[in-house]
């Protein structure tokens, strides 16, 4: 069915309000009854009568109507049209235009409806969140400033997203405006909160993360600024041309021991047999920045976020934050030695120890900014690696592929990169990537060494960070994320890889 013109115009008017920029018909949208209509003479009696749309115009148009009842009781009416010839061609043009417009309108309306629906869902969630924060506001339990810092960071991030969304809507959607106000309000609320239950804060943070992701999706669904290289090729595969970028960090949480535990490592176990299995580990060093004594394991990311259902273990022999976990085994440098060990994460006992031949240790060639990490384990699609230096290499990075069961060295590569001038390193598909510090806000992936080809070279990929120093970087091939320990905060980055041409 074809909508009537006045209906169409009313809707057009609404659309103009709701999504001005979505409309791409040339002339400006009608904002009053006398404005022009595409393809129709605005001065003609037809357009003015139609576009004014009401009953008044009809009587005005057919103003010269006379009626009377004749002798035989029949009602007689005569009408004088102001124009002598009926402008059929104009009506046809008008109908044609109306048809074209209604089609275009349907298309645009369905788009707008889609966005509006999405936004109203987020709006509800945000409201829910606000209500819950208000409830929490009344609680008086424990308060940790750090958790608030995290919430503030996340809310800020969300605020930015909404502003972006708003811009892409041409700044004219009431709903997005509302969303923005509510997020601002939430920021204020969070700032005002002084007494809070810790677990509630974390639950809220979890929701914020989810909300943020959905906002991102909404943004991406507009298709205009879709991220360039993700998601294919499939994670876990090496059919790509190497790392080309990293996302901004997302703050997962503060390590469970707190703010003063600035040194450590964290990550997600990678099992080549069960790649989608979840096992997260967090290993903050003691405050001396050297002894690895306690670590925690979580079976889901939710448990980790809420600090619940953790298995906490104690060892007395770990050194530095070069730890990695692969196939349910944790690999560590043994305290005060060049020995390395495999800890079975089912039994939590040392399954194997080996000496890493010629490896320098005890701060002979650790990374810049991070002590006691002369021996740094790495996991990638191909298995277990160790990054270290030797006296013979004069401090340059040496990469060895290890047998992850026996810890025997399978193969070794010698790079030209001095290890103490890099801040950290990780492996992806047999390629070593090293970082260096640009400033207090950013690191840079500046160097690579490809063990597949023996080639090495420069890169300039900026990695934003929360805090000044990066203590460790661990890569998970399944979710293709970096797990970074940043002065006590646990950060996540998505890696972007170069897609090979088909
Ligand atoms: C109505 O018609 C009569 C003649 O039929 C004419 O004299 C008069 O001016 C018309 N009135 C209007 C308002 O057009
Ligand atoms: C609000 O949050 C509560 C608690 O998580 C949940 O049970 C409820 O379904 C949420 N409501 C909406 C509309 O999202
Ligand atoms: C934002 O907060 C102010 C004052 O706290 C309140 O009056 C206003 O209604 C809030 N707006 C929304 C959209 O929640
Ligand atoms: C790399 O990623 C960052 C963060 O997502 C983005 O701001 C930047 O534009 C990207 N750089 C390139 C060259 O794609
Ligand atoms: C760890 O120990 C358990 C129990 O002894 C054993 O079943 C499992 O195979 C071990 N895992 C590895 C990877 O050696
Ligand atoms: C590691 O060593 C074990 C025992 O010698 C052997 O069975 C296994 O195949 C080796 N794995 C690799 C990847 O070389």
């Amino acid at each position: 069915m074809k909508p009537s013109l006045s209906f169409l115009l009313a809707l057009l008017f609404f659309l103009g309000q709701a999504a001005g920029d979505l409309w791409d018909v040339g002339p400006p949208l009608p904002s009053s009854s006398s404005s022009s209509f595409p393809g129709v003479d605005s001065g003609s009696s037809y357009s003015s009568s139609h576009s004014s749309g009401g009953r008044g115009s009809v009587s005005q148009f057919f103003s010269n109507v006379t009626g009377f009842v004749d002798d035989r009781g029949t009602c007689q009416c005569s009408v004088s049209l102001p124009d002598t010839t009926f402008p059929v061609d104009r009506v046809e043009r008008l109908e044609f235009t109306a048809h074209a417009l209604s089609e275009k309108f349907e298309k645009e309306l369905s788009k707008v409806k889609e966005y509006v629906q999405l936004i109203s869902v987020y709006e509800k969630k945000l409201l829910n969140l606000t209500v819950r924060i208000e409830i929490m506001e009344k609680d008086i339990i424990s308060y940790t400033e750090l958790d608030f810092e995290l919430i503030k960071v996340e809310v800020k991030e969300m605020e930015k997203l909404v502003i972006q969304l708003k811009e892409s809507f041409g700044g004219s959607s009431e709903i997005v405006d509302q969303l923005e106000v509510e997020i601002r309000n939430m920021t204020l609320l969070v700032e005002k909160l002084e007494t809070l239950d810790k677990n509630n804060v974390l639950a809220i943070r979890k929701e914020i993360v989810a909300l943020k992701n959905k906002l991102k999706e909404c943004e991406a669904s507009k298709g205009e600024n879709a991220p360039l290289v993700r998601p294919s090729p499939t994670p876990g595969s090496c059919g790509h041309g190497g790392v080309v970028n990293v996302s901004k960090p997302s703050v997962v949480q503060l390590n469970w021991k707190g703010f003063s535990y600035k040194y450590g490592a964290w990550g997600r176990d990678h099992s080549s047999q069960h790649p989608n299995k979840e096992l997260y580990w967090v290993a903050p060093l003691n405050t001396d920045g050297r002894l690895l004594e306690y670590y925690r394991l979580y079976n889901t990311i939710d448990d980790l976020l809420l600090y619940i259902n953790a298995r906490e273990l104690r060892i007395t022999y770990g050194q530095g934050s070069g730890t990695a976990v692969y196939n349910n085994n944790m690999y560590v440098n043994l305290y005060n030695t060049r020995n390395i060990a495999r800890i079975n994460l089912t039994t939590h006992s040392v399954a194997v120890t080996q000496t890493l031949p010629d490896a320098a240790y005890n701060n002979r060639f650790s990374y810049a900014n991070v002590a006691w990490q002369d021996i740094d384990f790495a996991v990638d699609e191909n298995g277990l690696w160790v990054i270290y230096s030797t006296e013979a290499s004069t401090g340059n990075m040496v990469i060895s592929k290890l047998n992850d069961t026996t810890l025997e060295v399978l193969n070794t590569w010698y790079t030209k990169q001095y290890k103490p001038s890099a801040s950290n390193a990780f492996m992806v598909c047999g390629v070593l990537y090293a970082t260096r510090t640009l400033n207090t806000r950013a690191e840079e992936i500046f160097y690579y060494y490809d063990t597949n080809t023996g080639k090495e070279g420069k890169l300039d990929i900026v990695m934003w960070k929360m805090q000044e120093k990066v203590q460790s970087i661990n890569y998970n091939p399944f979710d293709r994320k970096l797990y970074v320990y940043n002065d006590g905060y646990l950060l996540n980055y998505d890696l972007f890889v170069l897609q090979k041409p088909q």
Side-chain angles (χ1 to χ4, degrees), residues 262-276:
K262 290 190 184 305
Y263 307 92
W266 83 294
R268 177 179 173 179
D269 180 20
H270 180 61
S271 158
S272 30
Q273 288 88 40
H274 312 284
N276 54 355

Side-chain angles (χ1 to χ4, degrees), residues 316-458:
T316 52
Y317 43 76
Q319 172 166 284
S321 46
T323 310
V325 171
Y326 180 63
N327 269 335
N328 202 42
N329 286 286
M330 181 177 267
Y331 298 89
V332 299
N333 174 209
L334 292 182
Y335 197 84
N336 207 24
T337 68
R338 63 165 58 93
N339 296 341
I340 52 179
R342 169 164 72 87
I343 302 169
N344 181 323
L345 288 182
T346 304
T347 60
H348 300 288
S349 56
V350 173
V352 174
T353 62
Q354 275 280 355
T355 297
L356 186 58
D358 303 323
Y361 65 104
N362 283 0
N363 282 332
R364 181 78 180 103
F365 300 112
S366 189
Y367 291 121
N369 304 330
V370 194
W372 308 108
Q373 210 182 140
D374 304 68
I375 295 174
D376 183 16
F377 290 95
V379 171
D380 75 356
E381 290 78 356
N382 304 335
L384 181 69
W385 305 80
V386 64
I387 302 158
Y388 58 105
S389 298
T390 62
E391 293 301 333
S393 81
T394 61
N396 285 354
M397 286 183 177
V398 175
I399 308 165
S400 287
K401 184 86 190 357
L402 298 179
N403 178 315
D404 59 280
T405 311
T406 62
L407 296 181
E408 281 164 334
V409 171
L410 301 174
N411 210 338
T412 296
W413 293 263
Y414 300 91
T415 76
K416 293 197 185 73
Q417 178 57 47
Y418 187 56
K419 186 162 175 283
S421 64
S423 58
N424 227 284
F426 58 95
M427 303 284 301
V428 177
C429 291
V431 180
L432 173 135
Y433 294 89
T435 58
R436 68 178 168 199
T437 300
L438 288 184
N439 54 51
T440 57
R441 305 297 297 157
E443 296 279 304
E444 180 187 50
I445 299 173
F446 77 104
Y447 170 84
Y448 75 93
Y449 183 96
D450 189 344
T451 64
N452 305 298
T453 61
K455 261 171 59 180
E456 59 194 310
K458 297 285 168 211

